[in-house]
Amino acid sequence: MTQRTEPEDERADVGGAHIGLAVTVAFVAVIAFSAGAQWALVVAEAAGGWFLLALGFAWTFVDRGVEAVKHAYRLTFGWGDYVSP
């Protein structure tokens, strides 16, 4: 079995996705403290729903298994590249 190598730009996107996830978690925490847990749950469910839609898209059109999860993660939280300097 051969291991598929990722292009350099795909590996870089994961760092931005980590930042996007961290910003999302911080935003949910701020919502929880200021508006209450029910609104934080609504925001968290929206992010989770978007991830599930991206996972369905990636599973159907891109790849299967772990690669589909990686693509969905980058599709959902990859906007963190634009937040970081």
Side-chain angles (χ1 to χ4, degrees):
M1 191 183 304
T2 61
Q3 185 176 6
R4 199 179 111 190
T5 59
E6 291 185 36
E8 190 66 33
D9 59 337
E10 285 188 15
R11 278 184 263 156
D13 286 346
V14 173
H18 292 333
I19 293 169
L21 177 62
V23 169
T24 302
V25 169
F27 181 70
V28 169
V30 167
I31 295 295
F33 288 124
S34 64
Q38 69 273 13
W39 289 109
L41 187 60
V42 168
V43 173
E45 286 176 352
W50 186 260
F51 176 78
L52 289 177
L53 284 173
L55 182 60
F57 174 82
W59 192 275
T60 304
F61 296 110
V62 180
D63 209 346
R64 303 226 182 239
V66 175
E67 291 300 317
V69 175
K70 288 180 185 178
H71 283 290
Y73 182 66
R74 285 192 296 262
L75 284 171
T76 304
F77 299 110
W79 54 266
D81 276 337
Y82 302 107
V83 175
S84 64

